[in-house]
């Protein structure tokens, strides 16, 4: 079983819709969770981090964490074609220590069509 | 901010030569930096963790004698691919964890990557 799992997609949504990206993880002691966006041929850029159960909102992005279900998601409201990218879920299995090593999912390809 | 740079952005070399890639945190100090490799249409693969002032920690299956890592300061880590071969052609990306006080946060900020092509 993979440590961090994402649906590889592609996920296709129309412009203006809500895109929902999901991620599950296997290590129950994980404490830190991250969403990165990666455009084709570019390196990942941080979108959001979340550490506590519940929702965290930043602009059009909302991260949701449910540690009991070992599930973290990212919602993108009012999706734009510029949001088309691969979204990587990352988990720190070490529980937020100074070591900081992350485990990445394989990424979900999102396509927003006009 | 949290800006990480890499140099060079792209390099083409002949088989058997060595290539050095630099990773710098421009506006923060990073005790720990990470080196990843990414093949087309695949996810990031962690190669090693670079710790300032100590030896790097390599992931299983990564040859430490082939991928030399030096973390000489709190803002610079280097990866040297020695005796490169065509199968080493890949996208190499570094990241850095931002220090807050005396310990790192666990947020990683990525450099723009270096695309290595070995002929």
């Amino acid at each position: 079983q993979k440590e961090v799992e994402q649906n590889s997609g592609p996920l296709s949504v129309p412009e203006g819709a809500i895109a929902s990206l999901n991620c599950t993880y296997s290590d129950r002691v994980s404490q830190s969770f991250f969403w990165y966006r990666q455009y084709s041929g570019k390196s990942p850029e941080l979108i959001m981090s979340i550490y506590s159960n519940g929702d965290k909102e930043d602009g059009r992005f909302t991260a949701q964490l449910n540690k009991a279900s070992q599930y973290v998601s990212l919602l993108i409201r009012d999706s734009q074609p510029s949001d088309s990218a691969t979204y990587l879920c990352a988990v720190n299995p070490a529980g937020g220590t100074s070591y900081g090593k992350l485990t990445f999912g394989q990424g979900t390809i999102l396509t927003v069509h006009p | 901010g949290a800006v990480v740079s890499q140099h060079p952005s792209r390099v083409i070399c002949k088989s058997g030569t060595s290539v050095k890639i630099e990773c710098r945190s421009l506006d923060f100090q990073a005790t720990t930096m990470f080196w990843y490799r990414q093949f087309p249409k695949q996810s990031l693969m962690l190669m090693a963790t670079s710790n300032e002032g100590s030896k790097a920690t390599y992931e299983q299956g990564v040859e430490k004698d082939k991928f030399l890592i030096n973390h000489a300061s709190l803002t610079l880590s280097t990866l040297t691919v020695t005796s490169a071969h065509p199968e080493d052609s890949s996208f190499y990306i570094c990241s850095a964890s931002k220090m807050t006080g005396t310990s790192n946060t666990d947020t990683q900020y990525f450099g723009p990557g270096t695309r290595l092509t070995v002929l």
Side-chain angles (χ1 to χ4, degrees):
Chain A
Q1 181 185 3
K2 293 182 180 178
E3 294 181 43
V4 179
E5 292 205 48
Q6 295 180 253
N7 187 326
S8 62
L11 173 65
S12 182
V13 301
E15 184 175 357
I18 296 175
S20 177
L21 305 163
N22 304 314
C23 173
T24 58
Y25 59 96
S26 60
D27 190 343
R28 282 195 168 274
V29 301
S30 299
Q31 297 292 323
S32 308
F33 308 87
F34 305 87
W35 283 100
Y36 289 86
R37 176 175 61 195
Q38 186 175 24
Y39 292 112
S40 180
K42 303 295 185 182
S43 68
E45 58 178 317
L46 179 69
I47 296 176
M48 292 189 72
S49 60
I50 186 167
Y51 303 91
S52 303
N53 279 327
D55 295 359
K56 180 181 178 182
E57 186 175 318
D58 184 1
R60 295 187 297 113
F61 299 97
T62 299
Q64 299 174 318
L65 175 61
N66 184 325
K67 291 184 180 180
S69 300
Q70 295 174 241
Y71 172 90
V72 58
S73 66
L74 179 71
L75 301 177
I76 307 175
R77 290 181 299 281
D78 189 24
S79 295
Q80 300 297 311
S82 59
D83 294 326
S84 298
T86 298
Y87 288 81
L88 300 169
C89 172
V91 175
N92 183 344
T97 67
S98 59
Y99 187 58
K101 183 175 170 179
L102 295 179
T103 301
F104 285 85
Q106 71 271 32
T108 298
I109 299 171
L110 173 66
T111 302
V112 181
H113 53 87
Chain B
V3 181
V4 178
S5 70
Q6 272 184 253
H7 179 80
S9 58
R10 186 179 296 268
V11 59
I12 301 173
C13 69
K14 293 182 179 180
S15 185
T17 60
S18 295
V19 174
K20 180 186 282 189
I21 302 170
E22 291 187 350
C23 177
R24 294 182 184 272
S25 55
L26 297 185
D27 54 358
F28 66 99
Q29 292 184 326
T31 303
T32 306
M33 292 184 174
F34 302 86
W35 288 96
Y36 295 85
R37 180 168 53 182
Q38 187 175 39
F39 293 106
K41 299 190 185 302
Q42 295 187 23
S43 190
L44 297 168
M45 289 179 51
L46 179 65
M47 299 176 66
T49 301
S50 170
N51 301 295
E52 188 267 337
S54 64
K55 291 183 179 180
T57 303
Y58 291 82
E59 295 299 300
Q60 190 174 8
V62 178
E63 299 175 58
K64 62 180 181 180
D65 294 330
K66 181 170 183 62
F67 298 100
L68 301 178
I69 291 172
N70 183 274
H71 195 153
S73 75
L74 287 173
T75 59
L76 173 64
S77 176
T78 61
L79 168 69
T80 301
V81 183
T82 62
S83 187
H85 291 283
E87 57 266 30
D88 298 323
S89 299
S90 188
F91 191 39
Y92 291 86
I93 313 171
C94 73
S95 70
S97 287
K98 194 173 184 179
M99 289 182 68
T100 55
T102 58
S103 64
N104 294 341
T105 67
D106 55 0
T107 303
Q108 290 186 25
Y109 299 92
F110 284 85
T114 296
R115 194 162 301 281
L116 171 63
T117 302
V118 185
L119 302 176

